[in-house]
Amino acid sequence: MSPDLGHFRENYDRSELRRADLADDPVTQFGIWFDRWMEEPHYDAAACVIATASADGSPSARYVLCRQFDADGFVVYTNLESRKASDLRENPRAALVFGWLDQQRQVRIEGPASLLSAEESDAYWVTRPRGSQIGAWASGQSDVIADRSVLDRRAAEVTERFGADEEDGPIPRPDDWGGIRIGVDAAEFWQGRPDRLHDRFRYARDADDPSRWQIDRLAP
Ligand SMILES: Cc1cc2nc3c(=O)[nH]c(=O)nc-3n(C[C@H](O)[C@H](O)[C@H](O)COP(=O)(O)O)c2cc1C
């Protein structure tokens, strides 16, 4: 039997979002909210959910870390043979959700997904800790494996091959690991308000001039 979850009720009264407060474009608005988010310490502050769908329309979603955002979109790094990457090859569109719940905020981003260039992925790869680099080589992400020892054995083999220390030289980026950029076709900013009368604003590209954004308030 399900535990009773009905009594978890927050009062959404911490802030409000008005049309006049919004930046003209969603990435600037995201930056304003992100700066506010970063004013307080958060566990895994860069975490967001990315949703993909396969060619037959089956959706799936999982957390990833957003490593960069700018006018070109939002960048995440992953294994390029994983389920998400295979979905994006079949159906190159994704949705991101940033759930900044203790600020009673949610941001939704939707748009086309594209692979970063090898040079861009390399530039991020070299900033990763050596242990994470070894982990990327050791894990065929989303493959079925027999047990934990498979992972530990592969990690030991990779460590043996490349060396455990920085003095052993740089570890090259695996071909099946890289960055994916989600461009922004649409975005929505949600601010919780009392009595479920939340503030929601959606940015969509203007049909006549895609460099401009139409902003609409949505009913909660
Ligand atoms: C907080 C958090 C952050 C994560 N960050 C990443 C990430 O940046 N890249 C990644 O590939 N997986 C990340 N994962 C693991 C994914 O959620 C997922 O298990 C993995 O990418 C395989 O997903 P897939 O089989 O649907 O492709 C993260 C998980 C959590 C909980």
Side-chain angles (χ1 to χ4, degrees):
M1 203 179 84
S2 167
D4 175 17
L5 303 176
H7 63 281
F8 292 112
R9 288 194 190 281
E10 300 294 344
N11 192 19
Y12 293 104
D13 59 358
R14 297 205 185 145
S15 192
E16 64 179 325
L17 184 61
R18 293 171 302 187
R19 175 66 183 81
D21 300 330
L22 293 172
D24 290 341
D25 77 89
V27 175
T28 303
Q29 181 59 38
F30 184 90
I32 292 167
W33 271 23
F34 190 74
D35 288 347
R36 172 73 190 89
W37 175 242
M38 295 304 290
E39 282 170 12
E40 293 150 27
H42 299 286
Y43 184 79
D44 255 349
C48 62
V49 172
I50 182 168
T52 59
S54 59
D56 69 5
S58 302
S60 59
R62 74 293 284 156
Y63 275 101
V64 286
L65 300 174
C66 174
R67 290 307 192 191
Q68 189 189 325
F69 65 88
D70 58 26
D72 293 329
F74 291 72
V75 174
V76 305
Y77 291 88
T78 192
N79 181 292
L80 301 176
E81 298 300 329
S82 62
R83 177 175 177 185
K84 73 183 90 51
S86 137
D87 279 2
L88 291 171
R89 265 193 300 278
E90 295 174 8
N91 177 9
R93 293 191 60 80
L96 300 176
V97 180
F98 293 82
W100 296 333
L101 302 188
D102 39 355
Q103 293 180 352
Q104 304 180 334
R105 289 177 169 177
Q106 167 181 254
V107 183
R108 299 166 59 173
I109 304 288
E110 293 167 29
S114 55
L115 260 189
L116 292 198
S117 68
E119 293 72 28
E120 287 173 301
S121 288
D122 283 341
Y124 178 69
W125 169 262
V126 299
T127 70
R128 302 185 85 213
R130 197 171 185 86
S132 304
Q133 294 178 335
I134 289 171
W137 273 95
S139 166
Q141 192 178 59
S142 312
D143 288 350
V144 173
I145 51 175
D147 56 34
R148 174 84 210 182
S149 71
V150 174
L151 217 44
D152 294 337
R153 199 170 51 246
R154 283 192 198 151
E157 286 163 6
V158 174
T159 308
E160 175 71 28
R161 177 173 165 197
F162 293 116
D165 303 313
E166 297 300 335
E167 300 86 74
D168 295 316
I171 298 180
R173 177 176 59 84
D175 290 338
D176 63 0
W177 187 97
I180 294 173
R181 176 177 283 115
I182 318 302
V184 186
D185 275 352
E188 185 196 307
F189 294 82
W190 183 101
Q191 176 71 62
R193 298 292 308 276
D195 301 325
R196 301 295 182 263
L197 296 176
H198 313 300
D199 290 328
R200 294 177 67 189
F201 287 96
R202 181 184 60 198
Y203 289 74
R205 287 195 185 274
D206 188 280
D208 297 327
D209 177 0
S211 69
R212 298 171 66 90
W213 295 92
Q214 168 156 348
I215 305 177
D216 291 303
R217 180 184 274 272
L218 304 181

